[in-house]
Amino acid sequence: MARKKTKTKPKSTKQPKKISFKLSKQQKIVLGSFLFLLGLALLFSFISYFFTWQADQSTLHNLSDRSVESQNWLNKFGAGIGDFFIYQGFGLSAFTIAVLVTLTGFYYFFDKPKKSLQSFWFWGIIVMLWFSVFFGFFADKNPLLGGMVGFELNDFLQDFIGMIGTILVLVFVAIVYFAVRLKITPELIGQYLKSKKQAISSEFNTEDSDESEFVDTAFDKDNIELPVEENTEEIEEPVLKTKPAPEPEPTPAPLEVNKPEDDENFEIEIEETVEEEEVDENLSTKLVQDFGEFDPTLELSNYKFPSIELLKDYTKGQSITIDQEELEENKNRIVDTLKNYKIDIAHIKATVGPTVTLYEIVPEAGVRISKIKNLEDDIALSLSALGIRIIAPIPGKGTIGIEVPNKNARIVSMRSAIASPRFQNAEMELPLTLGKTISNETFVVDLAKMPHLLMAGATGQGKSVGLNAILTSLLYKKHPAEVKFVLVDPKKVELTLFNKIERHYLAKLPDSEEAIITDNAKVINTLNSLCIEMDQRYDLLKNAMARNIKEYNAKFKKRKLNPNDGHKFLPYIVLVIDEFADLIMTAGKEVETPIARLAQLARAIGIHLIVATQRPSVNVITGIIKANFPARIAFRVTSKIDSRTILDSQGADQLIGRGDMLFTQGNSLVRIQCAFVDTPEVEKITDFIGAQKAYPDAHLLPEYVGEEGGTSLDIDASDRDALFMDAAEVIVTAQQGSASLLQRKLKLGYNRAGRIIDQLEAAGVVGPFEGSKARQVLVNDMNGLHQLLNNE
């Protein structure tokens, strides 16, 4: 059977239909108007961001909270978009995005061809990246110029090809843009310059020749050597008159009839000295014009200040609310308590702070203030408060203040204090933000104007946290070249976190291994070294004819001081001492003398002291030292006597603790809730700073060689005292090397006992002098003593 042939149908070769998105005329108008208005919104938010970015930093993490408002023209949207595109993005060149979006909306609205739009976007993004990387070179001066993207790209390129390589890459990209995009070639530039030259020459030909010559000579005088020409004209005339014929007198007489020869010589000498001064001034101004002012931060030009993100926001979720019931209840109790003692009130007002509420009272006429002050305990009893403080009267106001602790106290975070405009815009030499006042205002002071600060309070009331807040303030505001810290920490655990920034911010002695001083014996050398530094700085100020460190550094920046003469930029030095009472107990007078010298004299040359102690009694801080510490911070203490010892007035015994403090700078007391900065936050800040490029070593203080307490003269056994052996046995038996022990046991005078101690040191029985502490006994028992003396 024959097979039937079956015809197969050819397969269809039709391609699948492509999906195309074609917009109608109406859709293009809608999309174009949306993009056009969005571009304008971006433009306005970017412009506003440059004026409000510091004030809006604290609101970026509360964008969902409707009660929080931003100062940007577009409120939270503008603040968030500006931070994303400018600070976190491309910096000043982010305006390119706004222009491109606006241009895209214009093209869609008027239905223009899209090919040119694609070209605009491609080259616009390249220009934006180019400027962002270029402004990355200046990120240390203003982080908004290049943004985070520009800084990181610039830093990445410099890490691999260096600064010169990065500049060459930018030049190459610029050449590509001008050649490909703008079609600019060398021939085109030559033709343009040639045509310009011809046009200029034709214009000069049409003008009068005398006028053109006058313009040329005037231009030369103004820009090149105008002061030199003036000086030579004044000096050359008398020199030409006197030099050709110095011996015969008739030659100058016809020219200067009324002036004798002596006067002419005197005038010439004056003109020569003025010329030298003018030349010196011109030299300094010329150096500034050629090289710019001296920049002390140039060695660490890429240094980045810590970000505010490293600090924790303790106020997150804690809205500032006012408990009306608590305010009304406290007000009624105060009024009722005063009425019980027949004291009428005309007016009462409340100011709510983070931890304390201030009730301002205006009593009726005829009421004695002392009568209200004596009711302090009665008012505290009626309010069931931890402790109230009465200010009668409030300085500058005609009211009496009653400070009552809040039932629900709020934590004042260091982040909110650092981010406040009052601190960010502070034009101070050494700005410190200590916390917030009762009226919720950030309290900022200048350490350079204090000039020294005394902190005191009972154990656990916030002194160490206050020291960390002070150091954190300076780390967020001052470059490593502008300030150095000398840290003394007898507790050995409070300030050790700052070891990580040793090569950035710390100062130490040349032979010391660690910059943070934990051994009390080394404090004496450090304080005396600071005294030497103080004297050297005063010599520099004297030679520079400057009254303080600010004037001296300003002259040095303007290149008016020669480094070959020993002049240099002087950073501020902040000496921080924790537990000062422990130093006095162990070292005594050897610490008191240099501290007193520094407190009296070190203000003008930029050395400032911050001393913390539990109770600055007379035996700890003497009157000489205390008189030079007008700025004082008092945390909570246990008695009124301690409060008067610290502040010279009572009030510190009525604080509630946990950072509640009183601050005075010699006038009135200000109650502040200290900003809280925890140890993990300090650790993050020091890690961030320590990971950056640093100086080769910490700032070195002058070398100080301490005086030896003993002497090595009495080495010969024949010169020893007759009671030498008896004294050695007494010392070894008691295991205490002191002259007073020998005075009591052997009934000796002080001078003879001191000489025997020196002989025992030379023989190796006792150790070297250690201040007020007893010497270390180097021999353990009598057998060791006899072996030591017999082997000599």
Side-chain angles (χ1 to χ4, degrees), residues 369-370 372-373 390-394 399-401:
I369 293 177
S370 59
I372 298 177
K373 292 180 74 173
I390 294 181
I391 312 168
I394 297 177
T399 59
I400 297 172

Side-chain angles (χ1 to χ4, degrees), residues 76 223 467 546 585 656 765 779:
K76 298 176 187 176
N223 294 324
L467 286 177
M585 291 171 60
I656 61 175
V765 179
V779 181

Side-chain angles (χ1 to χ4, degrees), residues 171 173-174 178 207 244 290 303 318 354 391 455 458 460 482 527 573 601 630 640 785:
V171 171
V173 174
F178 284 112
E207 293 176 355
D290 293 343
Y303 174 80
Q318 296 183 10
I391 312 168
M455 299 176 64
E482 297 173 328
L527 294 177
I573 297 178
L601 302 174
K640 293 183 179 180
L785 175 64

Side-chain angles (χ1 to χ4, degrees), residues 124 211 225 472 565 642 699 708 730:
E211 291 181 3
E225 293 178 346
T472 303
D565 297 335
D642 290 346
H699 182 77
E708 296 292 337
V730 170

Side-chain angles (χ1 to χ4, degrees), residues 495-630:
L495 302 176
T496 50
L497 288 174
F498 295 93
N499 261 329
K500 300 172 185 176
I501 60 173
E502 174 181 337
R503 294 189 296 147
H504 290 86
Y505 281 100
L506 300 190
K508 66 177 183 179
L509 293 174
D511 57 344
S512 59
E513 296 180 359
E514 294 185 356
I516 297 179
I517 306 166
T518 56
D519 185 5
N520 291 343
K522 296 181 180 178
V523 178
I524 302 169
N525 292 342
T526 303
L527 294 177
N528 284 289
S529 175
L530 283 174
C531 290
I532 297 174
E533 174 77 14
M534 176 182 70
D535 295 335
Q536 291 177 354
R537 289 191 172 196
Y538 268 119
D539 290 338
L540 291 177
L541 262 65
K542 175 185 174 184
N543 296 333
M545 291 183 290
R547 293 182 300 172
N548 51 51
I549 188 174
K550 188 175 180 181
E551 293 181 6
Y552 177 87
N553 284 337
K555 282 189 174 183
F556 189 81
K557 287 181 179 179
K558 293 179 180 178
R559 304 185 184 274
K560 292 183 177 180
L561 303 176
N562 192 348
N564 295 327
D565 297 335
H567 292 291
K568 59 184 177 179
F569 181 81
L570 300 179
Y572 285 91
I573 297 178
V574 180
L575 171 62
V576 180
I577 302 178
D578 197 3
E579 300 298 341
F580 183 69
D582 186 61
L583 290 181
I584 295 296
M585 291 171 60
T586 55
K589 291 286 185 181
E590 293 171 291
V591 169
E592 180 185 341
T593 302
I595 285 286
R597 284 203 67 211
L598 292 172
Q600 289 173 341
L601 302 174
R603 172 183 182 177
I605 43 84
I607 299 178
H608 303 279
L609 280 63
I610 300 175
V611 176
T613 183
Q614 291 182 2
R615 184 175 183 267
S617 55
V618 176
N619 60 340
V620 175
I621 293 185
T622 60
I624 296 176
I625 297 177
K626 195 174 179 181
N628 290 281
F629 283 81

Side-chain angles (χ1 to χ4, degrees), residues 325-334 359 383 404:
E325 294 182 2
E326 181 183 350
L327 290 177
E328 192 68 24
E329 184 180 352
N330 289 340
K331 185 199 78 170
N332 293 333
R333 287 182 177 179
I334 292 172
Y359 294 88
L383 294 174
V404 182

